[in-house]
Amino acid sequence: MTAPRAPIELREFPRPDLPPGAALLRTSRSEVCGTDVHLWHGRLSGVPYPIIPGHVSAGVVDAARGPIHGLDGSTIREGDRVVFFDVHRTCGRCRACTVHRTPTRCSARRVYGITDSADEGLFGGWSQAIYLEPGVALARLPDAIAFDDYIGGGCGLLTAVHIVERAEIRLGDVVVVQGTGAVGLSAIALAKVAGASRIVAIGAPADRLALARDMGADVLLDLARTTSEERRQAVMDATFGEGADVVVEAAGAAAAVPEGLDLARVGGRYVIAGHYTDVGPTTINAHHQINRKHLEIRGCWGSEARHFLRGLSILERHPSIPFRTIGARTYGLHELNDALADAEAMRIPKALVDPWQTAA
Amino acid sequence: MTAPRAPIELREFPRPDLPPGAALLRTSRSEVCGTDVHLWHGRLSGVPYPIIPGHVSAGVVDAARGPIHGLDGSTIREGDRVVFFDVHRTCGRCRACTVHRTPTRCSARRVYGITDSADEGLFGGWSQAIYLEPGVALARLPDAIAFDDYIGGGCGLLTAVHIVERAEIRLGDVVVVQGTGAVGLSAIALAKVAGASRIVAIGAPADRLALARDMGADVLLDLARTTSEERRQAVMDATFGEGADVVVEAAGAAAAVPEGLDLARVGGRYVIAGHYTDVGPTTINAHHQINRKHLEIRGCWGSEARHFLRGLSILERHPSIPFRTIGARTYGLHELNDALADAEAMRIPKALVDPWQTAA
Amino acid sequence: MTAPRAPIELREFPRPDLPPGAALLRTSRSEVCGTDVHLWHGRLSGVPYPIIPGHVSAGVVDAARGPIHGLDGSTIREGDRVVFFDVHRTCGRCRACTVHRTPTRCSARRVYGITDSADEGLFGGWSQAIYLEPGVALARLPDAIAFDDYIGGGCGLLTAVHIVERAEIRLGDVVVVQGTGAVGLSAIALAKVAGASRIVAIGAPADRLALARDMGADVLLDLARTTSEERRQAVMDATFGEGADVVVEAAGAAAAVPEGLDLARVGGRYVIAGHYTDVGPTTINAHHQINRKHLEIRGCWGSEARHFLRGLSILERHPSIPFRTIGARTYGLHELNDALADAEAMRIPKALVDPWQTAA
Amino acid sequence: MTAPRAPIELREFPRPDLPPGAALLRTSRSEVCGTDVHLWHGRLSGVPYPIIPGHVSAGVVDAARGPIHGLDGSTIREGDRVVFFDVHRTCGRCRACTVHRTPTRCSARRVYGITDSADEGLFGGWSQAIYLEPGVALARLPDAIAFDDYIGGGCGLLTAVHIVERAEIRLGDVVVVQGTGAVGLSAIALAKVAGASRIVAIGAPADRLALARDMGADVLLDLARTTSEERRQAVMDATFGEGADVVVEAAGAAAAVPEGLDLARVGGRYVIAGHYTDVGPTTINAHHQINRKHLEIRGCWGSEARHFLRGLSILERHPSIPFRTIGARTYGLHELNDALADAEAMRIPKALVDPWQTAA
């Protein structure tokens, strides 16, 4: 990706030298997520184009220099199937890292596929090889988990682990999830795994809602066929007229916020996780929707290494969750522009990338 | 108070019979708070006019039937100076009370001075006597605390105890308080007592800010003489450009909300406690102000008996806090309409009521 | 139960008059839990023998006076299958109820089957009818839940809901449960429902461990066939040598405490819930086991109405959990002494009671 | 310190070269804390003797290479009075750092004065100069804070900031502090600053208790003149017979633990922070002291950079707290063996070190 809105170009890179503790990965799968569309739209500031996109990826170790220890306690060897946490550097020294413990806002934070120029090396998954610098948090992909399962979950799964932590979902909670994109679908699955007694999904179109049902939603509300008031009524009907214990915003639409505030019960929690870019202002009523409701609203930004590991353990524990179906289609390197176009048009929940796939 | 907007009428009531556990109080002080102005404006729904206003009050026990145990461990006797928690009934059985533990939203909740008709008896402090029904949470007023100190704090002090609990103010936090009314002034004092390292007060006019300084504010920002951007810059200057750990909204103005969101640091907390009535819509940006900031916003509604007791212990522990100066003037029964007018016009932070005071 | 250690006597009681809001239940199932054995041993102080034991019970409404509202939002009618929360009174006024919010320690707390003398009426489930006084927290038993499922879970299920809340089990936690009695078995099931990635059960004998596996345990450690050090090693092997995120003590044995402290990881949580009676002193090392480990230890006492409701929702949501197998055998009224003897000898996880069952 | 129990030797070191971001400090004050006595006793494992002890220190920048940014937002220049956080490295990559967020247990953690051999350089404060490697967390010492105030607080102050955070002291809490050494005295001061309504200090001898009173204790209980039961009764008398909201163990004695458990109220919190070395087993009763009490016990280990900064802000905010009186006497380099002997015998709360002081 050479510049915003420019077509993806294919380039060849030299094979990097590996310092001790580094590894080279033969990419098996990467993904096109919403962030990649934002990158392509030029909506993120400070991106050092040209970049190799693809922040969550998986592959097989092609070369490793010295013993490399996985964050899962494993020792990584050549030939291992591995996955890694996309945030490869935070400074550990600044006020965000040490005083406030908000490393997701460290100014030195670097993320595969987003913050590193292609001039610096193979720091993105839309490439046949990925350079894993020393200290990257990685783990073996358990044999039972297919690459398509892992990348089907992908960054949406990590975000959903963070959302569930932030929402403090408790055994028996009623949970509403606004949005049935990759993040929303994963949040539905994890809310169920975390013990929610009932999960209401709000989204569109019909095939996404069918996917939401497969992920664990009990009640499906189609944005295209219901009014906001009808959705509110449906949630009240499911909650003794009280509203949900937890509402998760994974819609990225300004109108979702006031609706979500109305769907939470008095004393409930509302996690806002879908506003990753600026989609404009939102109008709320602080008396009715916050103060009088004694509500808690919690923004949720980025994820940390623990979410990555917890996501892996969930994939291993719950093989029946159809994460792979989120990855609707797999694109080769020559089809990346199609992949971006399909993702932009939201024709598919998520596009997977197989950089070794040859054109049909 | 016979009806919204009607002048206050003076009426005589028969002396009530006392069942076991009840007491009759000779009122020493009551107050005119913002809620009383809202009552007079007819902004609260379901109020059974005529009522005797005055929800937080203090007095001397004129008669008590049987042993009465204070929530402070004391035994109450005739002649004791006592204070009581204004919420005199919650059902303890409904879902709000038991399942959600939000007793401030119990539908059977009854509050002195607000929810009880004058036809039911002496349930308000703008009266020379107050009926304390069996089970009211009460406590002896320590000798060292004057009635004017207690009522100067009054309901604003209780709300501020709840705010500080809800804000989880930690040793060394920088705290911004929006609003210098009775609630804001008490919140400033309690933020200091709770160990805030620096307190910024935003309010107006100048004499309120002077009071804010006396209550413990370190930085004063005059709403009338600064722009929103200047206030933002002042808070950033005091916080390494990061914003405050905690922001407290005690202003009750719609414009305070987006400004407050901008004043909190990434990962900070914003407690909304001043929107006790509907002052209209607020426009925010969910991306910049919540999601990306990983912010927590917490509504704060009502108070519970523990806040009442904690408020008392703070008054006793910190006699140098000038709570009594919040109560700018004391009105007799014949001056109640003046008191309401002065409170409505915000000419004074708080009007005190002495129902035994004879007109000058 | 006329006195400690005395044989159970059968008595006839008159049918009670029902005040408004009260109901009479035809008992379908009750249980013999560990507390009943303690009652029989005279280990609980202040019990007003004679009593009708049986604190968690279920039945069909035989008569109801006036509309009765369930805590689940339902309206209860004659013929309905209902269950109720055994704590039928707390004062809502004392310091425990209001200041400290520890209603499980209210001195006026009354519990079916434990604190009410038989002279006061039908306040226990080992009886063909149960008097539900006005205000008891009750709910309809969903049609899909058999009486044997509900009572199989019984008081152990409620305690386990509280344990999971207190343990703050998070998605992906490794959980060790010490004890495979009714509480431990339910805790295993709920830890799984709450998203634990791996559950280790420690108990005996073999058939209990088989039950633990059916409830969701992944690793079984037999107390009779392993040493404490072997169990510690097994937990370390399952946790990268770190220890478990959460350890739950549901064993009621003094030796379980130091072992449990060793099984938790640095920064982990240890919930002590099995020491419902005094089984003597325990020796720990505060340096190695608490201070250096930065550990949190949390006692867990009693349960509240929300745990009762959450337990019901879990039963409805997860019909495949074999709670009914905890109730190994059902006894009629003439067999209650056998039931107590079997429970005392721990021959069965739990004895159910069907007061209408005729002797075989 | 060349080896356990060996006398302190004085050595000369060459002036180190400074890489970019490093600084050399002219030591103004360091301290002899309990950890130093443990080091001298050889009670800590893995210490690379010979070492230069002195982990918390303060001085003036003698030389600095390049711009150095303080964690307080300042830019550090030669001639500045600075202080620094003694933990100078954690890996930021291991499971403790990333997954469990317990950096105080990172295996790569390095601490000035404890974990670095003297062969590696000037990594301790009992030296006329200290090498500040790049990345050390440092801050300017505000002009209003004397070196003796800062080191009088010293590592005990940092630990106390962590204790108060861990104890979640709330406005109006009654707090008991067990122990009147440097940690206990600081905990008393900070409990007061955090809004405790009453503070009970348990310690000995009389002059320490006098110091405890100066630091803010309201009730003094002399270990030498009271029995454990008398102390329990005194705490009950001060708390309506309930026990304290928070108990802090800063005594480092095994007997303190069961006594502390008895002093906390039902639902209270007990922070164990004084068991920094193994002083042997403790006998408790898990039924009466934990389970039935619904108690929370929290170990508290080490401190993090935020505690360092918060400690500084407290010193600046509360100049009237007599931290400097904790540092009873200041020793020169030739008197270090005396300092250790005095600290070992607990003749003084804390010995200060001035490595430039010439013998009298």
Side-chain angles (χ1 to χ4, degrees):
Chain A
M1 189 178 281
T2 58
R5 298 286 181 182
I8 300 295
E9 281 181 22
L10 298 188
R11 292 192 187 169
E12 298 242 337
F13 290 83
R15 185 181 177 92
D17 292 329
L18 298 181
L24 194 68
L25 214 61
R26 187 189 197 277
T27 313
S28 298
R29 280 292 180 287
S30 188
E31 66 172 19
V32 181
C33 79
T35 301
D36 297 309
V37 176
H38 296 321
L39 283 169
W40 192 46
H41 289 175
R43 283 215 208 131
L44 278 69
S45 58
V47 176
Y49 300 95
I51 60 167
I52 305 172
H55 60 118
V56 175
S57 311
V60 176
V61 177
D62 190 68
R65 184 149 171 225
I68 301 180
H69 299 289
L71 209 56
D72 58 346
S74 67
T75 300
I76 306 294
R77 294 196 172 78
E78 292 176 15
D80 283 347
R81 301 162 75 242
V82 305
V83 293
F84 58 97
F85 182 52
D86 59 348
V87 179
H88 58 101
R89 286 185 216 161
T90 52
C91 76
R93 303 256 176 222
C94 67
R95 290 177 59 87
C97 282
T98 62
V99 181
H100 302 315
R101 290 200 290 190
T102 51
T104 61
R105 299 310 304 277
C106 171
S107 59
R109 187 170 177 253
R110 291 188 52 184
V111 187
Y112 273 83
I114 299 176
T115 64
D116 300 276
S117 165
D119 300 337
E120 294 184 76
L122 299 165
F123 285 96
W126 298 4
S127 162
Q128 292 184 334
I130 303 171
Y131 170 67
L132 295 184
E133 68 173 11
V136 168
L138 38 70
R140 291 185 59 168
L141 188 64
D143 293 340
I145 308 177
F147 286 121
D148 281 346
D149 289 320
Y150 177 76
I151 300 292
C155 75
L157 170 60
L158 265 69
T159 303
V161 174
H162 196 177
I163 288 170
V164 168
E165 178 187 287
R166 190 85 169 141
E168 294 179 76
I169 292 179
R170 295 173 197 138
L171 220 47
D173 275 346
V174 175
V175 178
V176 172
V177 176
Q178 299 177 292
T180 49
V183 171
L185 291 168
S186 287
I188 289 165
L190 298 204
K192 184 170 182 186
V193 168
S197 68
R198 182 167 284 215
I199 299 165
V200 179
I202 300 178
D207 60 338
R208 293 284 181 100
L209 287 169
L211 212 46
R213 181 187 302 273
D214 294 343
M215 299 300 283
D218 301 287
V219 177
L220 306 173
L221 300 174
D222 191 326
L223 273 171
R225 296 167 185 236
T226 55
T227 64
S228 182
E229 174 54 27
E230 285 168 349
R231 293 190 291 274
R232 200 190 66 79
Q233 197 54 53
V235 170
M236 293 301 145
D237 288 348
T239 57
F240 314 115
E242 293 173 345
D245 299 293
V246 170
V247 179
V248 172
E249 185 278 318
V257 174
E259 179 168 323
L261 291 168
D262 283 340
L263 299 180
R265 68 162 167 85
V266 166
R269 282 150 273 147
Y270 185 34
V271 174
I272 293 184
H275 277 67
Y276 255 60
T277 50
D278 184 355
V279 295
T282 298
T283 299
I284 63 171
N285 183 293
H287 168 64
H288 291 295
Q289 296 183 312
I290 301 177
N291 201 342
R292 190 178 171 78
K293 273 192 130 160
H294 203 75
L295 199 69
E296 297 206 22
I297 304 170
R298 300 172 182 175
C300 184
W301 186 258
S303 45
E304 299 180 43
R306 71 180 179 283
H307 305 123
F308 160 68
L309 275 192
R310 299 254 154 164
L312 264 187
S313 82
I314 291 160
L315 284 171
E316 194 172 11
R317 177 83 173 181
H318 302 280
S320 64
I321 302 175
F323 284 108
R324 78 163 57 198
T325 61
I326 299 177
R329 189 184 144 192
T330 302
Y331 299 75
L333 288 183
H334 291 276
E335 302 167 308
L336 286 172
N337 291 307
D338 298 341
L340 276 170
D342 287 347
E344 182 186 32
M346 294 197 195
R347 276 189 288 269
I348 53 176
K350 183 191 288 189
L352 302 194
V353 175
D354 175 355
W356 294 90
Q357 180 177 295
T358 49
Chain B
M1 191 179 280
T2 57
R5 299 286 181 180
I8 300 296
E9 281 181 22
L10 298 189
R11 291 192 188 170
E12 297 240 340
F13 290 83
R15 184 180 178 95
D17 291 330
L18 298 182
L24 193 68
L25 214 61
R26 187 188 196 278
T27 312
S28 299
R29 282 292 180 287
S30 188
E31 65 172 21
V32 181
C33 79
T35 301
D36 297 309
V37 176
H38 296 322
L39 283 168
W40 191 45
H41 289 177
R43 283 215 207 127
L44 277 69
S45 57
V47 177
Y49 299 96
I51 60 167
I52 305 172
H55 59 120
V56 175
S57 312
V60 176
V61 177
D62 190 68
R65 184 151 172 222
I68 301 180
H69 298 290
L71 208 56
D72 58 348
S74 68
T75 300
I76 307 294
R77 293 196 173 78
E78 292 177 14
D80 283 346
R81 300 161 75 242
V82 304
V83 292
F84 58 96
F85 182 51
D86 59 348
V87 179
H88 58 102
R89 286 186 216 162
T90 51
C91 76
R93 304 254 177 225
C94 69
R95 290 177 59 87
C97 282
T98 62
V99 180
H100 302 315
R101 290 200 291 189
T102 51
T104 60
R105 300 308 307 276
C106 170
S107 59
R109 188 170 177 253
R110 292 189 49 184
V111 187
Y112 273 83
I114 300 176
T115 63
D116 301 276
S117 167
D119 301 338
E120 295 184 76
L122 299 165
F123 284 96
W126 297 5
S127 162
Q128 293 184 331
I130 304 171
Y131 170 68
L132 294 184
E133 70 172 9
V136 169
L138 40 69
R140 290 184 59 165
L141 188 65
D143 293 340
I145 308 178
F147 287 122
D148 280 347
D149 290 320
Y150 178 76
I151 299 293
C155 74
L157 171 61
L158 264 69
T159 303
V161 174
H162 197 178
I163 287 170
V164 168
E165 177 186 287
R166 191 85 168 139
E168 293 180 76
I169 291 179
R170 293 167 199 145
L171 219 48
D173 275 347
V174 176
V175 178
V176 173
V177 176
Q178 301 177 293
T180 48
V183 171
L185 290 168
S186 288
I188 289 166
L190 298 203
K192 184 171 183 185
V193 168
S197 68
R198 183 168 283 215
I199 299 165
V200 179
I202 299 177
D207 60 338
R208 292 286 180 99
L209 287 169
L211 213 45
R213 182 187 302 273
D214 295 343
M215 299 300 282
D218 301 287
V219 178
L220 307 174
L221 299 174
D222 190 326
L223 274 171
R225 295 166 187 236
T226 54
T227 64
S228 182
E229 174 54 26
E230 285 168 348
R231 292 190 292 272
R232 201 190 66 79
Q233 197 54 53
V235 170
M236 292 302 146
D237 289 347
T239 57
F240 315 114
E242 294 173 345
D245 299 293
V246 169
V247 180
V248 172
E249 186 279 316
V257 174
E259 179 169 321
L261 291 168
D262 282 341
L263 299 180
R265 70 163 166 83
V266 166
R269 285 149 270 147
Y270 186 33
V271 174
I272 294 184
H275 276 68
Y276 255 59
T277 49
D278 185 355
V279 295
T282 297
T283 299
I284 63 171
N285 183 292
H287 168 65
H288 291 295
Q289 295 183 313
I290 301 177
N291 200 343
R292 188 177 173 79
K293 273 192 128 159
H294 204 74
L295 199 70
E296 297 205 23
I297 304 170
R298 300 171 182 175
C300 183
W301 187 258
S303 45
E304 300 180 43
R306 70 179 180 284
H307 304 123
F308 161 68
L309 274 193
R310 299 253 154 166
L312 263 187
S313 81
I314 291 160
L315 285 170
E316 193 172 11
R317 177 82 173 180
H318 301 279
S320 64
I321 303 175
F323 283 109
R324 78 162 59 197
T325 62
I326 299 177
R329 191 184 143 191
T330 302
Y331 300 76
L333 289 184
H334 290 277
E335 302 166 306
L336 286 171
N337 291 306
D338 298 340
L340 276 170
D342 287 347
E344 182 186 32
M346 295 198 195
R347 274 190 289 268
I348 52 176
K350 184 191 286 189
L352 302 194
V353 175
D354 175 356
W356 294 88
Q357 180 177 294
T358 50
Chain C
M1 190 179 281
T2 58
R5 299 286 182 181
I8 300 296
E9 280 182 24
L10 298 187
R11 292 192 186 168
E12 298 242 339
F13 290 83
R15 185 181 178 92
D17 292 329
L18 298 181
L24 193 68
L25 215 61
R26 187 189 195 277
T27 312
S28 298
R29 282 293 179 286
S30 188
E31 66 173 19
V32 180
C33 79
T35 300
D36 297 309
V37 176
H38 295 322
L39 283 169
W40 192 44
H41 288 177
R43 284 215 207 130
L44 278 69
S45 58
V47 177
Y49 299 96
I51 60 166
I52 305 172
H55 60 118
V56 175
S57 311
V60 176
V61 177
D62 190 68
R65 183 145 173 230
I68 301 180
H69 299 290
L71 207 57
D72 58 346
S74 67
T75 300
I76 307 295
R77 294 196 173 76
E78 291 177 14
D80 284 346
R81 301 162 74 242
V82 305
V83 293
F84 58 96
F85 182 50
D86 59 349
V87 179
H88 58 102
R89 285 186 217 162
T90 51
C91 76
R93 301 254 177 223
C94 69
R95 290 177 59 86
C97 282
T98 63
V99 181
H100 302 315
R101 290 201 290 191
T102 51
T104 61
R105 299 308 306 277
C106 170
S107 60
R109 187 170 177 252
R110 293 192 46 187
V111 187
Y112 272 84
I114 300 176
T115 63
D116 300 276
S117 166
D119 300 337
E120 295 184 75
L122 299 165
F123 284 97
W126 297 5
S127 161
Q128 293 184 334
I130 302 171
Y131 169 68
L132 294 183
E133 69 173 9
V136 168
L138 40 67
R140 292 186 57 166
L141 188 65
D143 293 340
I145 307 177
F147 286 121
D148 281 345
D149 289 320
Y150 178 76
I151 299 292
C155 74
L157 170 61
L158 265 69
T159 303
V161 174
H162 196 177
I163 288 170
V164 167
E165 178 187 287
R166 190 84 169 142
E168 292 180 77
I169 291 179
R170 295 171 196 139
L171 219 47
D173 275 345
V174 175
V175 177
V176 172
V177 177
Q178 300 177 291
T180 49
V183 171
L185 291 168
S186 287
I188 289 165
L190 298 204
K192 184 171 183 185
V193 168
S197 68
R198 182 169 283 215
I199 299 164
V200 179
I202 298 178
D207 60 337
R208 292 286 181 99
L209 287 169
L211 211 47
R213 182 187 302 272
D214 295 343
M215 298 301 281
D218 301 286
V219 177
L220 307 173
L221 299 174
D222 191 326
L223 273 172
R225 296 166 185 236
T226 55
T227 63
S228 182
E229 174 54 26
E230 285 167 349
R231 293 190 291 273
R232 200 190 65 81
Q233 197 53 54
V235 170
M236 293 301 146
D237 289 348
T239 57
F240 314 114
E242 293 173 345
D245 299 294
V246 169
V247 180
V248 172
E249 187 278 317
V257 174
E259 180 168 323
L261 291 168
D262 282 340
L263 299 180
R265 70 162 166 85
V266 166
R269 285 149 272 148
Y270 185 33
V271 174
I272 294 185
H275 277 68
Y276 256 59
T277 50
D278 184 355
V279 295
T282 297
T283 299
I284 64 172
N285 183 293
H287 168 65
H288 290 295
Q289 295 182 313
I290 301 177
N291 200 343
R292 189 176 172 79
K293 274 191 128 159
H294 203 75
L295 198 71
E296 297 205 22
I297 305 170
R298 301 172 182 176
C300 184
W301 186 258
S303 45
E304 300 179 43
R306 70 179 180 283
H307 305 123
F308 160 69
L309 274 193
R310 298 253 156 165
L312 263 187
S313 82
I314 291 160
L315 285 170
E316 193 170 12
R317 178 82 173 181
H318 302 280
S320 65
I321 301 175
F323 283 108
R324 77 162 60 199
T325 62
I326 299 177
R329 191 184 144 193
T330 302
Y331 299 75
L333 287 184
H334 290 276
E335 302 167 307
L336 285 172
N337 291 307
D338 298 340
L340 276 170
D342 288 346
E344 181 186 32
M346 295 197 194
R347 275 190 288 269
I348 53 176
K350 183 191 285 188
L352 301 194
V353 174
D354 176 355
W356 293 90
Q357 180 177 295
T358 49
Chain D
M1 191 178 281
T2 57
R5 298 286 181 181
I8 299 296
E9 281 180 23
L10 299 188
R11 292 191 187 170
E12 297 241 339
F13 291 83
R15 186 182 177 92
D17 292 330
L18 299 180
L24 193 69
L25 214 61
R26 187 188 195 279
T27 312
S28 299
R29 281 292 181 287
S30 189
E31 66 171 21
V32 181
C33 80
T35 300
D36 298 308
V37 177
H38 297 322
L39 284 169
W40 191 46
H41 289 177
R43 282 213 208 131
L44 278 70
S45 57
V47 177
Y49 299 96
I51 60 167
I52 304 172
H55 60 118
V56 174
S57 311
V60 176
V61 177
D62 190 69
R65 186 151 170 222
I68 302 181
H69 299 291
L71 208 56
D72 58 347
S74 67
T75 300
I76 306 294
R77 294 196 174 78
E78 292 177 15
D80 283 348
R81 301 161 76 240
V82 305
V83 293
F84 58 96
F85 182 51
D86 60 347
V87 179
H88 58 102
R89 287 185 215 161
T90 52
C91 76
R93 302 254 176 227
C94 68
R95 291 177 59 87
C97 282
T98 61
V99 181
H100 303 315
R101 290 201 290 191
T102 51
T104 61
R105 300 309 305 279
C106 170
S107 59
R109 188 171 178 253
R110 290 188 52 184
V111 187
Y112 273 83
I114 299 176
T115 64
D116 300 276
S117 167
D119 300 338
E120 293 184 78
L122 299 165
F123 284 97
W126 297 4
S127 161
Q128 294 184 332
I130 303 171
Y131 170 67
L132 294 183
E133 69 172 11
V136 168
L138 39 70
R140 290 185 59 167
L141 188 64
D143 293 339
I145 308 178
F147 286 121
D148 280 346
D149 289 321
Y150 178 75
I151 299 293
C155 75
L157 171 61
L158 264 69
T159 303
V161 174
H162 197 177
I163 287 171
V164 167
E165 177 186 289
R166 190 84 169 141
E168 294 179 76
I169 291 179
R170 294 171 196 139
L171 220 47
D173 275 346
V174 176
V175 178
V176 173
V177 176
Q178 300 177 292
T180 49
V183 171
L185 291 168
S186 287
I188 288 165
L190 299 204
K192 184 171 183 186
V193 168
S197 68
R198 182 167 283 213
I199 299 165
V200 179
I202 299 178
D207 59 338
R208 293 286 180 97
L209 288 168
L211 213 45
R213 181 188 301 272
D214 294 343
M215 299 299 283
D218 301 288
V219 178
L220 307 173
L221 299 174
D222 191 327
L223 273 171
R225 295 167 186 235
T226 54
T227 64
S228 182
E229 174 54 27
E230 284 167 350
R231 293 190 290 273
R232 200 191 66 80
Q233 197 53 53
V235 170
M236 293 302 146
D237 289 348
T239 57
F240 314 114
E242 292 173 345
D245 298 294
V246 169
V247 180
V248 172
E249 186 279 316
V257 174
E259 180 169 323
L261 291 167
D262 282 341
L263 299 180
R265 70 163 167 83
V266 166
R269 286 150 271 147
Y270 185 33
V271 174
I272 293 184
H275 276 68
Y276 256 60
T277 50
D278 184 354
V279 296
T282 298
T283 299
I284 63 171
N285 183 292
H287 168 65
H288 291 295
Q289 295 183 312
I290 302 177
N291 200 343
R292 188 176 173 79
K293 273 191 128 159
H294 204 75
L295 199 70
E296 297 205 23
I297 304 170
R298 299 171 184 177
C300 184
W301 186 258
S303 45
E304 300 179 44
R306 70 180 180 283
H307 304 123
F308 161 69
L309 274 192
R310 299 252 154 167
L312 264 188
S313 81
I314 291 161
L315 284 171
E316 194 172 9
R317 178 83 173 179
H318 301 279
S320 65
I321 302 175
F323 282 109
R324 77 163 58 198
T325 61
I326 299 178
R329 190 184 145 192
T330 302
Y331 299 76
L333 288 184
H334 290 276
E335 302 167 308
L336 286 171
N337 291 307
D338 298 340
L340 277 170
D342 286 347
E344 182 186 31
M346 295 197 194
R347 275 190 288 268
I348 52 177
K350 183 191 288 190
L352 302 194
V353 175
D354 176 355
W356 293 89
Q357 180 177 296
T358 49

